[in-house]
mmCIF file of all heavy atoms in Angstrom:
data_model
loop_
_atom_site.group_PDB
_atom_site.id
_atom_site.type_symbol
_atom_site.label_atom_id
_atom_site.label_comp_id
_atom_site.label_asym_id
_atom_site.label_seq_id
_atom_site.Cartn_x
_atom_site.Cartn_y
_atom_site.Cartn_z
ATOM 1 N N LEU K 470 201.267 75.331 83.224
ATOM 2 C CA LEU K 470 202.153 74.741 84.195
ATOM 3 C C LEU K 470 202.917 73.520 83.696
ATOM 4 O O LEU K 470 204.139 73.411 83.959
ATOM 5 C CB LEU K 470 201.404 74.276 85.467
ATOM 6 C CG LEU K 470 200.869 75.408 86.391
ATOM 7 C CD1 LEU K 470 200.390 74.780 87.661
ATOM 8 C CD2 LEU K 470 201.934 76.436 86.636
ATOM 9 N N PHE K 471 202.263 72.621 82.977
ATOM 10 C CA PHE K 471 202.925 71.369 82.648
ATOM 11 C C PHE K 471 202.468 70.691 81.387
ATOM 12 O O PHE K 471 202.861 69.565 81.094
ATOM 13 C CB PHE K 471 202.830 70.405 83.828
ATOM 14 C CG PHE K 471 201.416 70.154 84.294
ATOM 15 C CD1 PHE K 471 200.558 69.344 83.605
ATOM 16 C CD2 PHE K 471 201.021 70.718 85.478
ATOM 17 C CE1 PHE K 471 199.225 69.159 84.047
ATOM 18 C CE2 PHE K 471 199.726 70.520 85.989
ATOM 19 C CZ PHE K 471 198.866 69.755 85.238
ATOM 20 N N ASP K 472 201.689 71.324 80.561
ATOM 21 C CA ASP K 472 201.164 70.698 79.393
ATOM 22 C C ASP K 472 202.217 70.772 78.248
ATOM 23 O O ASP K 472 202.384 71.723 77.579
ATOM 24 C CB ASP K 472 199.875 71.389 78.935
ATOM 25 C CG ASP K 472 199.170 70.670 77.768
ATOM 26 O OD1 ASP K 472 199.865 69.902 77.041
ATOM 27 O OD2 ASP K 472 197.991 70.882 77.615
ATOM 28 N N ARG K 473 202.927 69.642 78.003
ATOM 29 C CA ARG K 473 203.976 69.615 77.043
ATOM 30 C C ARG K 473 203.434 69.626 75.570
ATOM 31 O O ARG K 473 204.188 69.973 74.669
ATOM 32 C CB ARG K 473 204.849 68.361 77.251
ATOM 33 C CG ARG K 473 205.686 68.475 78.545
ATOM 34 C CD ARG K 473 206.479 67.186 78.808
ATOM 35 N NE ARG K 473 207.557 67.055 77.849
ATOM 36 C CZ ARG K 473 208.834 67.487 78.008
ATOM 37 N NH1 ARG K 473 209.103 68.160 79.186
ATOM 38 N NH2 ARG K 473 209.743 67.315 77.191
ATOM 39 N N ILE K 474 202.162 69.336 75.436
ATOM 40 C CA ILE K 474 201.581 69.582 74.082
ATOM 41 C C ILE K 474 201.521 71.054 73.772
ATOM 42 O O ILE K 474 201.873 71.495 72.694
ATOM 43 C CB ILE K 474 200.195 68.884 74.019
ATOM 44 C CG1 ILE K 474 200.338 67.360 74.245
ATOM 45 C CG2 ILE K 474 199.495 69.193 72.707
ATOM 46 C CD1 ILE K 474 199.011 66.665 74.390
ATOM 47 N N ALA K 475 201.083 71.796 74.780
ATOM 48 C CA ALA K 475 201.064 73.268 74.653
ATOM 49 C C ALA K 475 202.501 73.789 74.493
ATOM 50 O O ALA K 475 202.746 74.707 73.674
ATOM 51 C CB ALA K 475 200.372 73.881 75.814
ATOM 52 N N PHE K 476 203.398 73.227 75.278
ATOM 53 C CA PHE K 476 204.823 73.661 75.179
ATOM 54 C C PHE K 476 205.379 73.448 73.776
ATOM 55 O O PHE K 476 206.150 74.249 73.322
ATOM 56 C CB PHE K 476 205.650 72.972 76.221
ATOM 57 C CG PHE K 476 205.308 73.250 77.668
ATOM 58 C CD1 PHE K 476 205.959 72.575 78.694
ATOM 59 C CD2 PHE K 476 204.349 74.180 77.983
ATOM 60 C CE1 PHE K 476 205.711 72.908 80.020
ATOM 61 C CE2 PHE K 476 204.053 74.473 79.319
ATOM 62 C CZ PHE K 476 204.716 73.798 80.330
ATOM 63 N N HIS K 477 204.976 72.344 73.194
ATOM 64 C CA HIS K 477 205.472 72.059 71.798
ATOM 65 C C HIS K 477 204.979 73.122 70.833
ATOM 66 O O HIS K 477 205.740 73.526 69.950
ATOM 67 C CB HIS K 477 204.962 70.679 71.383
ATOM 68 C CG HIS K 477 205.584 70.191 70.094
ATOM 69 N ND1 HIS K 477 205.043 70.459 68.858
ATOM 70 C CD2 HIS K 477 206.748 69.469 69.820
ATOM 71 C CE1 HIS K 477 205.799 69.886 67.903
ATOM 72 N NE2 HIS K 477 206.856 69.339 68.477
ATOM 73 N N GLU K 478 203.725 73.577 71.033
ATOM 74 C CA GLU K 478 203.270 74.651 70.166
ATOM 75 C C GLU K 478 204.000 75.984 70.497
ATOM 76 O O GLU K 478 204.178 76.786 69.581
ATOM 77 C CB GLU K 478 201.748 74.816 70.370
ATOM 78 C CG GLU K 478 200.914 73.948 69.519
ATOM 79 C CD GLU K 478 201.097 74.220 68.059
ATOM 80 O OE1 GLU K 478 200.654 75.235 67.523
ATOM 81 O OE2 GLU K 478 201.725 73.357 67.369
ATOM 82 N N VAL K 479 204.374 76.185 71.734
ATOM 83 C CA VAL K 479 205.147 77.354 72.061
ATOM 84 C C VAL K 479 206.521 77.290 71.307
ATOM 85 O O VAL K 479 206.917 78.326 70.687
ATOM 86 C CB VAL K 479 205.450 77.426 73.591
ATOM 87 C CG1 VAL K 479 206.488 78.538 73.875
ATOM 88 C CG2 VAL K 479 204.171 77.735 74.353
ATOM 89 N N ALA K 480 207.142 76.145 71.362
ATOM 90 C CA ALA K 480 208.412 75.982 70.612
ATOM 91 C C ALA K 480 208.233 76.243 69.165
ATOM 92 O O ALA K 480 209.094 76.888 68.472
ATOM 93 C CB ALA K 480 209.008 74.606 70.891
ATOM 94 N N ASN K 481 207.174 75.772 68.556
ATOM 95 C CA ASN K 481 206.907 75.965 67.152
ATOM 96 C C ASN K 481 206.713 77.485 66.873
ATOM 97 O O ASN K 481 207.196 77.930 65.838
ATOM 98 C CB ASN K 481 205.619 75.244 66.716
ATOM 99 C CG ASN K 481 205.853 73.760 66.453
ATOM 100 O OD1 ASN K 481 206.997 73.313 66.341
ATOM 101 N ND2 ASN K 481 204.747 72.982 66.388
ATOM 102 N N ALA K 482 206.024 78.187 67.760
ATOM 103 C CA ALA K 482 205.821 79.619 67.568
ATOM 104 C C ALA K 482 207.133 80.396 67.642
ATOM 105 O O ALA K 482 207.317 81.398 66.945
ATOM 106 C CB ALA K 482 204.828 80.153 68.582
ATOM 107 N N LEU K 483 208.026 79.956 68.502
ATOM 108 C CA LEU K 483 209.278 80.652 68.672
ATOM 109 C C LEU K 483 210.246 80.385 67.518
ATOM 110 O O LEU K 483 211.114 81.158 67.236
ATOM 111 C CB LEU K 483 209.956 80.233 70.007
ATOM 112 C CG LEU K 483 209.233 80.626 71.280
ATOM 113 C CD1 LEU K 483 209.938 80.038 72.507
ATOM 114 C CD2 LEU K 483 209.074 82.120 71.374
ATOM 115 N N ASP K 484 210.123 79.200 66.854
ATOM 116 C CA ASP K 484 210.994 78.865 65.777
ATOM 117 C C ASP K 484 210.188 78.241 64.642
ATOM 118 O O ASP K 484 210.280 77.014 64.370
ATOM 119 C CB ASP K 484 212.051 77.877 66.291
ATOM 120 C CG ASP K 484 213.140 77.604 65.253
ATOM 121 O OD1 ASP K 484 213.173 78.269 64.206
ATOM 122 O OD2 ASP K 484 213.979 76.689 65.511
ATOM 123 N N PRO K 485 209.380 79.061 63.973
ATOM 124 C CA PRO K 485 208.442 78.437 62.963
ATOM 125 C C PRO K 485 209.183 77.830 61.776
ATOM 126 O O PRO K 485 208.609 76.940 61.108
ATOM 127 C CB PRO K 485 207.616 79.708 62.550
ATOM 128 C CG PRO K 485 208.443 80.872 62.911
ATOM 129 C CD PRO K 485 209.181 80.488 64.147
ATOM 130 N N ALA K 486 210.359 78.220 61.523
ATOM 131 C CA ALA K 486 211.146 77.652 60.378
ATOM 132 C C ALA K 486 211.452 76.180 60.604
ATOM 133 O O ALA K 486 211.677 75.424 59.656
ATOM 134 C CB ALA K 486 212.449 78.439 60.169
ATOM 135 N N HIS K 487 211.410 75.745 61.905
ATOM 136 C CA HIS K 487 211.750 74.368 62.226
ATOM 137 C C HIS K 487 210.603 73.706 62.968
ATOM 138 O O HIS K 487 210.819 72.769 63.706
ATOM 139 C CB HIS K 487 213.044 74.307 63.068
ATOM 140 C CG HIS K 487 214.245 74.835 62.380
ATOM 141 N ND1 HIS K 487 214.670 76.121 62.490
ATOM 142 C CD2 HIS K 487 215.103 74.223 61.463
ATOM 143 C CE1 HIS K 487 215.769 76.322 61.760
ATOM 144 N NE2 HIS K 487 216.015 75.186 61.080
ATOM 145 N N ALA K 488 209.412 74.222 62.744
ATOM 146 C CA ALA K 488 208.229 73.667 63.439
ATOM 147 C C ALA K 488 207.953 72.245 62.969
ATOM 148 O O ALA K 488 208.167 71.880 61.819
ATOM 149 C CB ALA K 488 207.043 74.525 63.196
ATOM 150 N N THR K 489 207.461 71.480 63.922
ATOM 151 C CA THR K 489 207.064 70.086 63.671
ATOM 152 C C THR K 489 205.643 69.891 64.132
ATOM 153 O O THR K 489 205.139 70.651 64.992
ATOM 154 C CB THR K 489 207.936 69.075 64.300
ATOM 155 O OG1 THR K 489 207.982 69.257 65.737
ATOM 156 C CG2 THR K 489 209.403 69.158 63.773
ATOM 157 N N ALA K 490 204.910 68.970 63.547
ATOM 158 C CA ALA K 490 203.530 68.773 63.874
ATOM 159 C C ALA K 490 203.338 68.475 65.350
ATOM 160 O O ALA K 490 204.032 67.652 65.926
ATOM 161 C CB ALA K 490 202.896 67.664 62.994
ATOM 162 N N THR K 491 202.368 69.115 65.925
ATOM 163 C CA THR K 491 202.019 68.852 67.357
ATOM 164 C C THR K 491 200.859 67.840 67.361
ATOM 165 O O THR K 491 199.891 67.949 66.656
ATOM 166 C CB THR K 491 201.580 70.133 68.012
ATOM 167 O OG1 THR K 491 202.625 71.090 67.942
ATOM 168 C CG2 THR K 491 201.197 69.891 69.472
ATOM 169 N N SER K 492 201.033 66.846 68.240
ATOM 170 C CA SER K 492 200.022 65.797 68.412
ATOM 171 C C SER K 492 200.015 65.327 69.843
ATOM 172 O O SER K 492 200.776 65.879 70.681
ATOM 173 C CB SER K 492 200.316 64.652 67.472
ATOM 174 O OG SER K 492 201.515 63.942 67.870
ATOM 175 N N CYS K 493 199.239 64.356 70.162
ATOM 176 C CA CYS K 493 199.240 63.768 71.519
ATOM 177 C C CYS K 493 200.591 63.248 71.898
ATOM 178 O O CYS K 493 201.030 63.319 73.042
ATOM 179 C CB CYS K 493 198.204 62.673 71.636
ATOM 180 S SG CYS K 493 196.506 63.197 71.447
ATOM 181 N N ALA K 494 201.371 62.812 70.892
ATOM 182 C CA ALA K 494 202.721 62.221 71.145
ATOM 183 C C ALA K 494 203.716 63.356 71.597
ATOM 184 O O ALA K 494 204.742 63.040 72.204
ATOM 185 C CB ALA K 494 203.255 61.598 69.864
ATOM 186 N N SER K 495 203.339 64.608 71.374
ATOM 187 C CA SER K 495 204.176 65.750 71.805
ATOM 188 C C SER K 495 204.339 65.761 73.320
ATOM 189 O O SER K 495 205.272 66.373 73.868
ATOM 190 C CB SER K 495 203.645 67.065 71.308
ATOM 191 O OG SER K 495 203.561 67.040 69.863
ATOM 192 N N ALA K 496 203.409 65.110 74.017
ATOM 193 C CA ALA K 496 203.521 65.073 75.464
ATOM 194 C C ALA K 496 204.767 64.350 75.943
ATOM 195 O O ALA K 496 205.160 64.523 77.104
ATOM 196 C CB ALA K 496 202.258 64.396 76.087
ATOM 197 N N PHE K 497 205.357 63.579 75.062
ATOM 198 C CA PHE K 497 206.530 62.774 75.438
ATOM 199 C C PHE K 497 207.766 63.252 74.719
ATOM 200 O O PHE K 497 208.846 62.627 74.852
ATOM 201 C CB PHE K 497 206.290 61.290 75.099
ATOM 202 C CG PHE K 497 205.023 60.736 75.659
ATOM 203 C CD1 PHE K 497 203.876 60.596 74.845
ATOM 204 C CD2 PHE K 497 204.958 60.422 76.981
ATOM 205 C CE1 PHE K 497 202.712 60.139 75.427
ATOM 206 C CE2 PHE K 497 203.783 59.897 77.544
ATOM 207 C CZ PHE K 497 202.625 59.774 76.738
ATOM 208 N N SER K 498 207.715 64.370 74.022
ATOM 209 C CA SER K 498 208.821 64.841 73.277
ATOM 210 C C SER K 498 209.739 65.759 74.144
ATOM 211 O O SER K 498 209.297 66.225 75.199
ATOM 212 C CB SER K 498 208.364 65.637 72.059
ATOM 213 O OG SER K 498 207.654 66.814 72.469
#
Side-chain angles (χ1 to χ4, degrees):
L470 289 192
F471 50 75
D472 187 339
R473 292 176 70 91
I474 298 171
F476 294 176
H477 190 269
E478 274 299 288
V479 170
N481 281 346
L483 295 176
D484 189 8
H487 299 96
T489 59
T491 301
S492 67
C493 295
S495 300
F497 306 102
S498 63

